[in-house]
């Protein structure tokens, strides 16, 4: 007969703590269910309280969850009821410590367990402890590996985790020393696991994490397994599709000349495009959109539309006064291209705009070192300094009113003089040399823009910068800080994806861009040039568009959607900040926050003078702006420049990443055959479609601002670490506003030939993972 006391008897003399341990993560398309049983989880309530004379609570004994199996692939929950003698005086759970004792040798192969949250019900009150981190089992072992310290990281995981309930707290507001001690202990461990790379190795670019290999990263900086599997599969599949064509060229090269695999005409390319899209795994809708681009890309209004609605919609400036760049060509602009108006009147009316890529490409040499390996022929891929003037016409329909009127080209590497190109008369036939020369000039601009976009607009600003933010957050904000809980869902994955990029996409011996992009051979210098252009002021969205004079550009949907998203996020951050910071003094006295800000400026952006980022914050207003800048950049900005690349950059004649003939000289007669022999060949075109497919699609575990169950898109709630009732209220209000913006954008896109919905909140991941 069982002599154990009944629950009713225990409840009289005990405090009852019902513990819910939530593991795994929600991956709606995952079909498997994997269980974890490699250790025993131990939870301590109020650890360290017994050594704190000011503590109003006491430390519990270890609460042991024995013989349990935990979900890994899907969300799962284990709940256990613990009876703690009331005489121990444990009281309210203000802090928990979680650790795992392993079943065998801790140096043997073990899998870490992803813990989402611990909930404790005590005195009929629910205390939520958000974790969202990995733990690995620890077992002291000297037989095979010598002794190891329990306080040291285990298998890329912290040895234990601390968490405070609800919304967390600002450290200096804590009155009880045991909580401060735990926060500092945790932060010191994490800081040791997330080092900055040495300054002498980084050079004049954004700082990054001090690991050379992705596999060496701490587990919490790596991706969840579903993403890793998906990315590895995409890379392997892409290589499988390209290798046969490359191998054929190599074999032919050994036996003689490899075949020339040029596209014969735009119609021929369009036919091949469908086959290549299917070959590399593009969806039917992506192929359809690419074909739509192919139908209209030669038209000047479409060139202008892509400037303000394409993936590189960030470089435009209003011309207030003509710079020296244009002085040799501006007087030759034909009257018909500016509707017969005087150019000075156009400038004074604020209807002339420019994009100048020449400075960014300064010092970048021609590419093509890998051309023989890819195509079977040694080729030169020309890097051309290319700038464009665009005109806002009053005479054209609004959707066709933004057009290019002057392109400047300079083959500086070969010492050729600059040339200027203008649109031909409207009635010129498409086979006319003047039409083809203008088309070829636009292609050279697009080619230059490809290099600036891929390394500057995309990688430098939407990846390298974001890694700086994430590293500083992990190093300086404890997991119980309300700003860590605000930012963590947005910074999840960014260090991992960048480490993979440095290892397998932009490394000197694994330079994917050198396989198809003119400026790809000189990637390190291009990265330096692009980082020099980064600045905090450019990231404050309303100020940036106003500074560049872009308020009146028609159909600038990138601007319109960015400003709407900024306003929603600004209000959301304001509400969140108001919950933890009562006045400017509370901002100034928050040392964790100040260290977080300081490290972003130095060492994060030390290589180029801090990039305008403040090294301290002294007001709530500036804090709200600062946090909005970070959240907007890792989510909205990255989305706007990344998730349209298939239809625009994957359709090669629209935006060739490399050109095999130099820019035309002023008196050259350009033919269609010349243009087609300038475009990348079949193998390069295939490589381009593979890389846009790999980089331009969502990861399988993305979270979005707005949930779309039919598309397996999960929403914000569930990934959030800000779990107090007030914080979740802020999130829910933000999501409602995002849903309203989604509906507005959906209505705007009705009957559009090519929809601009990339910045609809249902398409915006809350972090950067691709």
């Amino acid at each position: 007969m069982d002599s154990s006391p009944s629950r009713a008897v225990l409840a009289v003399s005990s405090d009852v703590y019902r513990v819910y341990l939530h593991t795994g993560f929600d991956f709606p398309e995952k079909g498997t269910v994997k269980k974890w049983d490699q250790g025993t989880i131990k939870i301590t309530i109020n650890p360290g309280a017994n050594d704190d004379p000011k503590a109003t609570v006491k430390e519990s004994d270890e609460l042991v969850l024995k013989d349990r199996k935990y979900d890994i692939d899907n969300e799962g929950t284990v709940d256990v009821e613990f009876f703690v003698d009331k005489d121990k005086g444990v009281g309210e759970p203000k802090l928990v410590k979680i650790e795992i004792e392993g079943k065998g040798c801790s140096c043997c192969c073990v899998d870490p367990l992803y813990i989402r949250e611990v909930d404790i019900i005590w005195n009929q009150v629910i205390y939520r402890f958000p974790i969202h981190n990995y733990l690995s089992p620890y077992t002291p072992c000297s037989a095979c590996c010598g002794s190891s310290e329990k306080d040291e990281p285990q298998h890329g995981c912290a040895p234990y985790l601390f968490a405070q309930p609800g919304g967390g707290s600002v450290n200096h507001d804590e009155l009880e020393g045991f909580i401060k001690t735990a926060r500092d202990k945790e932060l010191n461990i994490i800081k040791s696991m997330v080092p900055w790379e040495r300054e002498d190795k980084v050079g004049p670019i954004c700082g990054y994490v001090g690991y050379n290999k992705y596999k060496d990263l701490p587990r919490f900086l790596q991706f969840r397994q579903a993403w890793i599997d998906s990315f590895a599969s995409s890379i392997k599949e892409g290589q499988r599709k390209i290798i046969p064509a490359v191998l054929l060229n190599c074999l032919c090269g050994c036996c003689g000349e490899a075949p020339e695999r040029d596209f014969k005409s735009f119609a021929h390319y369009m036919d091949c495009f469908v086959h290549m899209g299917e070959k590399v795994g593009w969806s039917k809708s992506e192929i359809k959109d690419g074909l739509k681009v192919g139908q209209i890309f030669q038209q000047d209004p479409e060139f202008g539309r892509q400037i303000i609605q394409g993936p590189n919609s960030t470089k435009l400036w209003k011309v207030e006064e003509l710079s020296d760049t244009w002085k040799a060509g501006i007087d030759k602009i034909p009257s018909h291209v500016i509707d017969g108006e005087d150019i000075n009147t156009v400038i004074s009316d604020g209807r002339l705009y420019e994009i100048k890529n020449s400075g960014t490409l300064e010092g970048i040499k021609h590419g093509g070192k890998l051309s023989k390996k890819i195509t079977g022929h040694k080729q030169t891929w020309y890097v051309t300094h290319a700038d464009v003037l665009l005109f806002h016409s009053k005479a054209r329909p609004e959707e066709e009113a933004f057009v290019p009127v002057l392109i400047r080209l300079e083959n500086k590497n070969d010492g050729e003089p600059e040339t200027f190109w203008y649109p031909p008369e409207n009635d010129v036939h498409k086979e006319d040399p003047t039409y083809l020369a203008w088309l070829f000039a636009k292609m050279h601009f697009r080619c230059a823009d490809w290099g600036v976009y891929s390394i500057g607009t995309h990688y430098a600003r939407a990846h390298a910068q974001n890694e700086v933010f994430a590293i500083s957050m992990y190093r300086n904000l404890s997991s119980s800080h309300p700003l860590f809980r605000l930012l963590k869902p947005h910074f999840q994955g960014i260090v991992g994806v960048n480490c993979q990029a440095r290892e397998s996409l932009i490394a000197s011996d694994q330079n994917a861009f050198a396989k198809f992009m003119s400026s790809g051979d000189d990637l390190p210098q291009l990265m330096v040039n692009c980082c020099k252009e980064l600045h905090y002021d450019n990231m404050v969205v309303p100020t940036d568009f106003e500074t560049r004079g872009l308020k009146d550009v028609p159909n600038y949907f990138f601007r319109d959607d960015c400003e709407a998203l900024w306003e929603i996020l600004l209000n959301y951050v304001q509400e969140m900040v108001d919950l933890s910071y009562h006045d400017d003094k509370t901002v100034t006295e928050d040392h964790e926050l100040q260290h977080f800000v300081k490290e972003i400026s130095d060492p994060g952006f030390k290589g180029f003078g801090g990039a305008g980022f403040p090294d301290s914050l002294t007001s709530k207003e500036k804090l709200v702006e600062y946090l909005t800048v970070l959240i907007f950049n890792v989510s909205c900005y990255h989305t706007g420049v990344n998730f349209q690349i298939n239809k625009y950059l994957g359709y090669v004649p629209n935006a060739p990443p490399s050109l095999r003939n130099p820019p035309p000289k002023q008196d050259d007669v350009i033919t269609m055959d010349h243009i087609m022999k300038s475009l990348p060949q079949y193998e390069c075109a295939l490589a381009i479609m593979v890389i846009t497919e790999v980089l331009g699609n969502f990861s399988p575990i993305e979270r979005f601002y707005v949930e779309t169950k039919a598309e397996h898109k999960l929403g914000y709630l569930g990934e959030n670490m800000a779990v107090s009732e007030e914080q979740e209220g802020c999130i829910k209000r933000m999501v409602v506003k995002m849903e309203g913006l989604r509906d507005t954008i959906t209505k705007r896109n009705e009957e559009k030939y090519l929809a601009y919905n990339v910045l609809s909140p249902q398409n915006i991941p809350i972090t950067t993972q691709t």
Side-chain angles (χ1 to χ4, degrees), residues 695-712:
L695 301 182
N697 280 297
F698 302 126
S699 89
I701 57 168
E702 302 275 21
R703 290 277 182 164
F704 298 81
Y705 281 113
V706 172
E707 184 173 283
T708 311
K709 290 183 178 179
E711 300 178 22
H712 301 297

Side-chain angles (χ1 to χ4, degrees), residues 692-758:
T692 59
E693 175 69 12
V694 171
L695 301 182
N697 280 297
F698 302 126
S699 89
I701 57 168
E702 302 275 21
R703 290 277 182 164
F704 298 81
Y705 281 113
V706 172
E707 184 173 283
T708 311
K709 290 183 178 179
E711 300 178 22
H712 301 297
K713 291 180 177 178
L714 297 172
Y716 196 110
L717 284 169
E719 190 69 15
N720 60 299
M721 289 191 67
V723 297
S724 73
E725 186 176 343
E726 296 82 4
Q727 289 171 329
E728 290 201 334
C730 295
I731 294 171
K732 289 173 182 177
R733 287 189 291 275
M734 180 266 288
V735 170
V736 168
K737 293 176 183 176
M738 289 288 189
E739 289 171 341
L741 178 57
R742 172 202 61 193
D743 295 343
T744 298
I745 292 173
T746 299
K747 186 175 181 180
R748 182 189 70 199
N749 280 309
E750 291 176 357
E751 299 182 6
K752 295 285 186 187
Y753 179 73
L754 281 163
Y756 187 82
N757 58 6
V758 66

Side-chain angles (χ1 to χ4, degrees), residues 327-356:
K327 288 188 176 177
I330 195 71
D331 292 337
K332 299 174 185 176
I333 288 184
S335 176
H336 73 271
V337 304
I338 52 174
D339 301 337
E341 297 187 58
D342 177 71
I343 190 64
N344 293 313
T345 301
V346 172
I347 293 172
S348 63
D349 283 352
R351 291 185 292 118
L352 194 67
Y353 300 85
E354 67 181 0
I355 295 177
K356 293 197 289 188

